[in-house]
Amino acid sequence: MTFTLTVSDEVRALSPGFTHVAIEAYDLVNGPSTEASSALLDDAARRLADRLAGRAPHEDPHMAAWREVYTAFGAKPSRTRNSAEALAKRALSGAGLPRINLLVDLYNAISVAHLVPVGGEDLDRIRGGMRLVRATGEEDFVTVAQGAEAVEHPEAGEVVWCDDAGVTCRRWNWRQGPRTRLTEETVSGLFLLETLAPMPVAEAETAGAELAELLEKFSPGARIEVRPPVSARTPA
């Protein structure tokens, strides 16, 4: 388990309150959504409603902090919401949470219940390590538009996750590219929980531990490593 994750000094300077918890998991079992994973999503929506107590998701202090950071690197947070806010908004609407596949359902449930952005990457599709950087604007982001593969480029200064093959997620945690997403064939995954102050680092650890427990439950025998939080709030 030698997969590397790095956060650039430019991103740390932009957001000194940033912390991430990473979970590496091997020998996973994925497949279509199940009644059990669907129940987890329903329970997460109930936990979210209790947490917000009638407030809109963007009124939560953690989501407000993400909006401030998005604004700082030039994004419009009311139009390009971070992944947790977008899921929370959907969870509270009549549409409800999407059912994607088993592994995605698990991390989406944690994201909604704890109101924290969570992403999942197929480690077998990552090229080299992953880096959180401010884009030059020349990087490739391979996506799908109107049913066909298309290449976009992030804006200069935009915060992106990337590997040696290009951008894997635009606007920090707004939109993941299809190249590295978790599919029903995925057996090795990286799960990344991202928080900002004022959310305590301990809450990020709690959310990570809960996700690790779910991965162990739904993939018996999986090899799972929860990495200690890496925080820009203190020297790395």
Side-chain angles (χ1 to χ4, degrees):
M1 298 186 185
T2 57
F3 182 79
T4 59
L5 282 168
T6 57
V7 179
S8 72
D9 290 341
E10 291 80 7
V11 173
R12 292 184 185 278
L14 176 72
S15 183
F18 175 60
T19 298
H20 68 75
V21 174
I23 302 171
E24 286 183 59
Y26 300 86
D27 300 323
L28 292 168
V29 177
N30 201 10
S33 300
T34 65
E35 288 187 7
S37 69
S38 183
L40 285 171
L41 290 169
D42 289 340
D43 181 63
R46 287 190 290 270
R47 291 168 66 182
L48 172 69
D50 289 343
R51 183 188 191 100
L52 291 174
R55 294 173 298 164
H58 70 268
E59 295 176 299
D60 177 85
H62 190 216
M63 295 297 94
W66 276 109
R67 285 194 167 212
E68 290 178 5
V69 167
Y70 268 47
T71 299
F73 66 76
K76 295 182 178 179
S78 60
R79 188 171 64 186
T80 55
R81 297 177 176 87
N82 74 77
S83 63
E85 184 182 334
L87 276 175
K89 184 176 175 64
R90 183 159 179 176
L92 298 174
S93 73
L97 289 166
R99 275 58 173 166
I100 307 298
N101 60 52
L102 181 59
L103 291 176
V104 175
D105 289 353
L106 298 186
Y107 80 71
N108 278 349
I110 295 300
S111 177
V112 170
H114 290 272
L115 207 51
V116 56
V118 184
E121 306 281 352
D122 189 321
L123 279 172
D124 293 327
R125 299 185 180 197
I126 296 291
R127 299 294 173 257
M130 285 182 60
R131 304 175 297 281
L132 186 65
V133 302
R134 299 198 71 173
T136 66
E138 298 179 358
E139 298 89 346
D140 288 344
F141 177 70
V142 179
T143 185
V144 175
Q146 298 180 339
E149 183 176 290
V151 178
E152 299 177 354
H153 303 283
E155 299 173 3
E158 181 181 324
V159 177
V160 297
W161 280 102
C162 60
D163 65 1
D164 290 349
V167 173
T168 59
C169 193
R170 286 199 59 188
R171 294 185 183 133
W172 207 316
N173 45 38
W174 167 61
R175 186 172 69 178
Q176 183 187 32
R179 173 171 61 90
T180 60
R181 67 188 175 191
L182 302 179
T183 69
E184 293 183 16
E185 288 72 45
T186 296
V187 295
S188 302
L190 173 74
F191 302 86
L192 194 63
L193 298 84
E194 301 180 298
T195 69
L196 299 174
M199 178 173 279
V201 174
E203 186 164 353
E205 293 180 291
T206 297
E210 187 176 340
L211 178 54
E213 289 175 4
L214 288 175
L215 293 172
E216 291 172 349
K217 176 181 179 180
F218 284 84
S219 293
R223 295 180 291 124
I224 298 171
E225 175 188 348
V226 182
R227 297 189 180 186
V230 175
S231 177
R233 306 176 202 182
T234 56

